[in-house]
Every structure is written in C-alpha cells, then in structure tokens.
Amino acid sequence: MWLINSSIGRKVVMSVTGLALILFLTFHCAMNIVAIFSGNAYNMICELLGANWYAVVATMGLAALALIHIVFAFILTAQNRKARGENRYDVATTVNQHGILDVAEGWASSNMLVLGLIILCGLLLHLYHFWSKMMLAEIVGTTAGHLPTDGFAFIIDTFANPVNVVIYIIWICAIWFHLAHGFWSALHTLGASGKIWQKRIQWIGLCYVSLLLLGFLVVVLAFAFKCAPSLYCYAGGC
C-alpha cells in the first residue's frame, strides 16, 4: 500500500494524523480554559466525558492516531538520516529574512526528533496526572484522592507543585516548536503550497499554534499562581 511503502505516503499519514491531533488539542485547550472561570462547569464536562462508551472509543481512536504519528515520525527520521548520510549533521546557513518565523522553522525542522521525544515524555506524565486518575480510575473503580470526575481538583493538585509547573511549561514550549513547523508542513504535504500562499500559510499556522499553546500556558500559570477566578468560587455555585 503506497501510504505505508512510499515516502510520500508516509508523509501524508503523518500530515493527516498530525492535523487530527491539532484538532484534539484545540478542543482540549477550550475545555481547559473553562477551568479558569468555573470549576463546576469544568467538572460537568469531565462528567459528561468520563468513562462513557463514546469517550472511551474516542480515547482509543486518539491513542491510535498518536501511536501512528509517532511510529511514522521515527520511520521518516531514520529514512531522512540514511538519505543524508555524512551530511546529516550539516547546518543550513540561510539568511533570516522573516524573524521569528524562520527561527522557529529552522530550529524546529532540525530538531523534530528531540522535540518529539520531549513531547512523548510530557504526554506520559500528563496521562499519569490526569487520565490514569480520571477515566482509567473510573473504568477500574478506584480513586486517587478525589472522585474520578473531579478534574478541577486534579488540576489544583498538579499545579500546586512547582516542579510540575516547570515541566509543563517546557512541554508546552516543545509542542509549540513542534507545531510551528509541523502545522504548515502538513498542509504543504497535502497540497496547500505556492509562492504566494506558502508564507501566508506559515504565518497563519504560527499564529494559530501560538494562540493555542498560549491558552494551555495561561491555564498552567493561572493555577500555579492561584489567580484563576474559579479558585475563589469552586463548589460555591459559580
């Protein structure tokens, strides 16, 4: 099958799965921002999702997308290293004409594997902090200090620890660099290119992922510094 056996096919798979994961991140970010303003509303969402069959099916699908994306990323990286041979350590010396866009693009494209490994480690930690104590705990019938649907309490506990705050900030930065290159690269692979539109797509992608990751960062900092409005009215009907 050409999607698996050809280089172009693998890039298409990477692009489609990557864009699907970005859509999930968008939903996840919107959900997290709710927690800033209302702990009760956030827990209503957690209860709506929880361990319901549709949430479990969606989680399995999401896990499959992530696994496919990771596997194909390693395959393409190994393929590119083999193709470059002794030149794989060469560094491009292009003139920077577009400021932060070229800095993000150049650094991210040269370090996608490292960024991917950081993101994977952060993902495993995130699954431990939240998924294992919420959906998994609800499925197996255990608790981890709070009800499995009390996601707001788990957010408070997680970001009360300064070490977790630093780790999550590093994780968010790694995701930003990864997406700064990956977002437009996926669109380019799927045919959105051209002299006029390439830079526009790059800038649109950069703005989108910057706002997206800023949303995650705001949530982390709001709870780390205890300045989220929801903290002052949680369980009080807000």
Side-chain angles (χ1 to χ4, degrees):
M1 186 176 181
W2 74 273
L3 283 174
I4 299 175
N5 298 326
S6 70
S7 176
I8 295 177
R10 295 186 190 111
K11 289 180 180 179
V12 169
V13 172
M14 280 282 293
S15 300
V16 173
T17 55
L19 291 175
L21 292 171
I22 290 175
L23 287 176
F24 166 74
L25 286 177
T26 303
F27 165 77
H28 197 0
C29 181
M31 177 179 170
N32 286 4
I33 290 176
V34 171
I36 295 179
F37 300 100
S38 174
N40 291 317
Y42 180 79
N43 281 349
M44 286 178 62
I45 299 173
C46 293
E47 188 172 358
L48 177 65
L49 297 175
N52 296 303
W53 69 267
Y54 48 83
V56 174
V57 170
T59 299
M60 293 173 62
L62 183 64
L65 286 173
L67 182 61
I68 292 170
H69 191 78
I70 292 169
V71 170
F72 275 71
F74 277 102
I75 292 174
L76 284 172
T77 299
Q79 176 183 305
N80 292 337
R81 284 177 175 268
K82 182 178 180 181
R84 287 197 299 266
E86 295 180 357
N87 296 322
R88 66 180 182 271
Y89 298 111
D90 289 351
V91 178
T93 56
T94 56
V95 177
N96 186 334
Q97 298 177 338
H98 302 279
I100 189 172
L101 181 59
D102 285 329
V103 172
E105 281 292 311
W107 193 88
S109 62
S110 300
N111 296 275
M112 289 297 274
L113 181 59
V114 175
L115 290 171
L117 290 173
I118 294 174
I119 293 170
L120 178 59
C121 291
L123 176 62
L124 294 175
L125 184 64
H126 184 64
L127 291 175
Y128 167 74
H129 283 150
F130 295 98
W131 181 78
S132 69
K133 299 176 182 178
M134 296 174 68
M135 179 180 285
L136 181 61
E138 189 173 352
I139 291 173
V140 300
T142 61
T143 58
H146 305 289
L147 292 175
T149 55
D150 194 357
F152 190 77
F154 289 116
I155 293 179
I156 295 173
D157 289 350
T158 299
F159 298 122
N161 186 338
V163 175
N164 288 337
V165 173
V166 172
I167 291 174
Y168 271 80
I169 290 174
I170 294 172
W171 187 38
I172 289 171
C173 290
I175 296 174
W176 181 85
F177 274 106
H178 187 77
L179 296 186
H181 172 75
F183 185 87
W184 85 264
S185 180
L187 293 177
H188 178 76
T189 297
L190 296 176
S193 60
K195 293 182 179 179
I196 296 177
W197 277 100
Q198 180 165 324
K199 279 299 177 185
R200 292 179 183 177
I201 292 172
Q202 285 177 300
W203 276 110
I204 291 171
L206 183 64
C207 291
Y208 185 86
V209 300
S210 295
L211 290 174
L212 178 62
L213 274 302
L214 180 62
F216 284 109
L217 182 61
V218 167
V219 173
V220 172
L221 296 179
F223 283 91
F225 292 99
K226 296 178 174 58
C227 57
S230 55
L231 289 170
Y232 303 101
C233 60
Y234 177 51
C238 296

